[in-house]
Amino acid sequence: IGVLATPVVTTHVLQSPQDEILILATDGVWEFMSSQEAVDIVTSHLHNDEDDNKDASGGEAPSVGGAARACQALIEAAANKWHKEEGDYRDDITALVICLQQLWDSGDNSDKKTESPNVKRQKVEKAQGDTEKGE
């Protein structure tokens, strides 16, 4: 029937900056497409936004719009492969493209403590109170 009760699980330790993207997709993407084909499709669409795809160092970084376009291109390529192989029938095709560089860049502040919303609100209220008191 095509459904396995036991999932195939693999582990990969992410490494910055070698790991640029993560593609999460249903079996409809992988049925007629290799991992390398998917990576090639996604990476070819990531850097299409000239104005908003510079990282902090001035280098190329995937943009949110580029990730959306890359994901759409991946889904369309998978659908085309299904149509070529199976005609009008196709499996579910769902995909997410995650730009890891943006995660690495946001991790630059990892040495700072993350405050809960309540702590932040209390600090704002205290600052407002100090301003009203003239401090």
Side-chain angles (χ1 to χ4, degrees), residues 20-46 66-79 81 93-98:
E20 181 180 348
I21 59 170
L22 174 64
I23 300 171
L24 298 176
T26 59
D27 63 333
V29 171
W30 308 118
E31 184 71 26
F32 301 112
M33 186 178 300
S34 70
S35 296
Q36 188 59 55
E37 286 177 288
V39 168
D40 292 344
I41 291 166
V42 168
T43 56
S44 71
H45 288 83
L46 277 178
R69 276 191 304 283
C71 191
Q72 184 66 37
L74 178 63
I75 290 168
E76 289 172 4
K81 286 183 177 280
I93 299 173
T94 305
L96 294 171
V97 173
I98 301 166

Side-chain angles (χ1 to χ4, degrees), residues 80-96:
N80 288 336
K81 286 183 177 280
W82 270 94
H83 184 70
K84 180 180 174 185
E85 297 291 328
E86 300 289 336
D88 290 334
Y89 174 79
R90 74 175 185 208
D91 198 356
D92 170 60
I93 299 173
T94 305
L96 294 171

